[in-house]
Amino acid sequence: MGSPRRKRLCLWFLIGLALSVIFLGHYYTADSPVCPGTVARTCQQERWDLEEAGILQDVRNRDLTRRTIMKRGNSTQDASNPKEKARSCPWSLKSKVKHNPTFEKQFDFDIPVFMWEQHFTPETWGRLKDRSVPYGWRDVPYPVIASTVQLLSESVHSQLVDEARFLNCCICCAVVGNGGILNGSRQGKKIDAHDFVFRLNGAVIKGFEEDVGTKTSFYGFTVNTMKNSLVAYAEYGFTQIPQGKDIQYIFIPSNIRDYIMLRSAILGSPVPEGYDKGDSPQKYFGSEASAGKFKLLHPEFMHYLKERFLKSEIINSQFGHLYMPSTGALMLLTALHTCDQVSAYGFITENYRLFSDHYYEQEKKPLVFYANHDMLLEAELWKSLHRVGIMKLYQR
């Protein structure tokens, strides 16, 4: 009589065990929340140094536990105020920086990347009025700075993106330079798979979609480099900077022209004075460009980048007054201070001599080194950041 009872108990035990395995398997293998606009997340596919299955699964489990605890702890918070919630990115470059003795001393994630009206105080003016552009405001009249910066509100211009949309996932960025290494690279799909894509200067896309992608989230420039690019690369098809309702423009304040053009762009009016007097910003940024489409790099952020990362020997030469990091370097370092994961494409590598200056050139042209940039110093920085896993540098 006892035997049938034992069989029934064993049967129920096995059924319960099977259901538990199915439930736990679903619970622990569920994908992380998909970030807005992402179809195939290149960064998460590559996983930096976490491609070993055991390590990756351990990170997933710890992140799942942490998110569960956070969710319980935040259950009493107002759900309509996402800024009160902490962002979670288990693969953030900040964690790599934190555990690297060298770069931990160089990176300062608390320094403001962008400038807005709150920063324009008497103290800031006193500190920057004697420092040369682009690191300050020497020789730039107070009314020009004031009338421009006061148009930039904190709510729109203080952050790169709305981080509330990325509470439980990583902000994944690609920064696309214009180096010849991208010609024939077939990296377009990987580039477009990132949440945000930075482009700069003569960013030719048509005809090179397979190599450089089509997506543009941010376009970085100085007025000088933008206008020079429209002239120098027109023969390659660069006759208009990227435009679109979701594209934002990052002004690099290299001289007074950038402040005056930015003010006119926000107001939607012709440039009233200076070298670009009478020029129409709408022809560059579109007829419906609003204040929210523009950001301005903070001069102190640029000074910090020069001092901490790219303090070239050129500074002490006869060309010292001309020196500043390249547009590409400034955009890449901006991404490294605002995104969780960063991949760099089309930047200088050790074997740069194998490739043309730009990816869209029909005939190979050597990379030109100008006195106002230190490209070899930048190359060393990218190699070092890639080697320790803080960013991923595309190389061939």
Side-chain angles (χ1 to χ4, degrees):
M1 293 179 62
S3 179
R5 182 178 180 184
R6 284 198 298 274
K7 289 181 178 179
R8 286 196 298 271
L9 288 173
C10 289
L11 179 62
W12 282 112
F13 174 77
L14 290 173
I15 292 173
L17 181 61
L19 290 173
S20 298
V21 170
I22 293 172
F23 172 77
L24 289 173
H26 173 74
Y27 184 75
Y28 281 103
T29 60
D31 290 335
S32 298
V34 178
C35 295
T38 302
V39 178
R41 297 182 58 77
T42 300
C43 288
Q44 291 192 7
Q45 290 170 358
E46 292 169 344
R47 298 296 200 232
W48 301 102
D49 299 327
L50 304 178
E51 292 182 356
E52 293 84 355
I55 298 176
L56 180 57
Q57 186 61 49
D58 179 60
V59 170
R60 281 176 175 168
N61 292 341
R62 284 187 281 110
D63 184 47
L64 180 61
T65 303
R66 182 168 61 252
R67 292 207 307 266
T68 302
I69 294 172
M70 286 175 56
K71 184 176 180 181
R72 291 172 181 169
N74 293 336
S75 60
T76 58
Q77 290 184 352
D78 182 2
S80 65
N81 188 3
K83 287 187 177 181
E84 294 184 3
K85 301 177 182 179
R87 288 191 60 250
S88 173
C89 174
W91 305 288
S92 173
L93 64 88
K94 290 183 180 179
S95 63
K96 290 280 188 179
V97 170
K98 185 178 179 180
H99 293 93
N100 185 282
T102 300
F103 285 112
E104 183 184 21
K105 296 177 182 178
Q106 288 182 257
F107 276 86
D108 179 2
F109 293 107
D110 292 325
I111 190 168
V113 176
F114 304 108
M115 187 160 202
W116 63 91
E117 60 177 339
Q118 179 181 328
H119 291 156
F120 193 65
T121 63
E123 291 76 18
T124 304
W125 172 257
R127 192 166 56 251
L128 298 183
K129 67 181 177 65
D130 295 322
R131 188 186 294 168
S132 62
V133 290
Y135 316 110
W137 295 323
R138 185 194 302 163
D139 298 327
V140 182
Y142 179 93
V144 171
I145 301 296
S147 62
T148 301
V149 175
Q150 289 170 358
L151 294 174
L152 305 173
S153 63
E154 179 179 1
S155 60
V156 177
H157 301 96
S158 61
Q159 291 185 331
L160 183 72
V161 299
D162 181 6
E163 295 187 358
R165 298 169 54 213
F166 294 85
L167 286 177
N168 293 321
C169 56
C170 302
I171 299 175
C172 188
C173 299
V175 185
V176 185
N178 301 319
I181 193 173
L182 286 177
N183 190 303
S185 66
R186 298 178 181 272
Q187 295 298 302
K189 289 184 178 179
K190 287 187 176 182
I191 290 171
D192 286 347
H194 292 73
D195 294 310
F196 300 100
V197 177
F198 291 72
R199 299 187 192 271
L200 51 112
N201 294 343
V204 178
I205 292 177
K206 188 175 181 180
F208 297 91
E209 295 87 347
E210 191 175 62
D211 292 336
V212 303
T214 61
K215 184 175 183 179
T216 303
S217 310
F218 305 100
Y219 176 76
F221 61 98
T222 71
V223 171
N224 185 57
T225 61
M226 177 186 72
K227 290 195 169 187
N228 285 348
S229 295
L230 288 169
V231 173
Y233 310 125
E235 63 178 299
Y236 304 112
F238 190 70
T239 57
Q240 176 63 64
I241 70 171
Q243 288 188 6
K245 67 181 183 67
D246 295 325
I247 295 177
Q248 295 188 47
Y249 302 100
I250 300 178
F251 274 76
I252 299 171
S254 65
N255 60 44
I256 190 173
R257 294 175 69 186
D258 300 287
Y259 290 99
I260 295 175
M261 178 67 78
L262 174 56
R263 181 178 184 275
S264 294
I266 294 173
L267 296 176
S269 60
V271 177
E273 59 182 309
Y275 190 84
D276 305 292
K277 184 176 181 179
D279 202 358
S280 173
Q282 287 86 345
K283 73 180 182 183
Y284 306 112
F285 312 113
S287 58
E288 298 181 358
S290 60
K293 291 182 74 68
F294 303 102
K295 285 180 168 55
L296 175 68
L297 286 189
H298 200 304
E300 288 196 303
F301 177 67
M302 296 180 65
H303 181 262
Y304 149 81
L305 296 182
K306 181 199 67 171
E307 292 294 313
R308 297 279 189 97
F309 297 94
L310 294 169
K311 195 165 186 177
S312 171
E313 293 180 359
I314 295 175
I315 296 171
N316 299 319
S317 73
Q318 60 178 321
F319 303 107
H321 64 289
L322 299 175
Y323 174 74
M324 65 179 287
S326 69
T327 305
L330 292 171
M331 286 299 97
L332 183 46
L333 286 164
T334 294
L336 286 166
H337 284 76
T338 53
C339 303
D340 295 314
Q341 298 172 346
V342 174
S343 298
Y345 298 85
F347 281 78
I348 185 172
T349 55
E350 284 186 321
N351 60 344
Y352 68 88
R353 292 182 181 86
L354 298 177
F355 311 104
S356 188
D357 193 355
H358 302 100
Y359 62 81
Y360 38 77
E361 289 161 342
Q362 298 285 334
E363 299 179 2
K364 183 179 177 181
K365 297 182 179 180
L367 177 61
V368 178
F369 293 93
Y370 295 101
N372 60 329
H373 301 316
D374 192 336
M375 302 302 293
L376 295 179
L377 179 61
E378 292 180 11
E380 283 297 318
L381 177 60
W382 312 145
K383 183 175 69 173
S384 299
L385 290 168
H386 172 83
R387 185 175 59 247
V388 300
I390 292 174
M391 75 173 203
K392 189 173 182 65
L393 176 66
Y394 174 69
Q395 302 177 79
R396 291 168 70 180

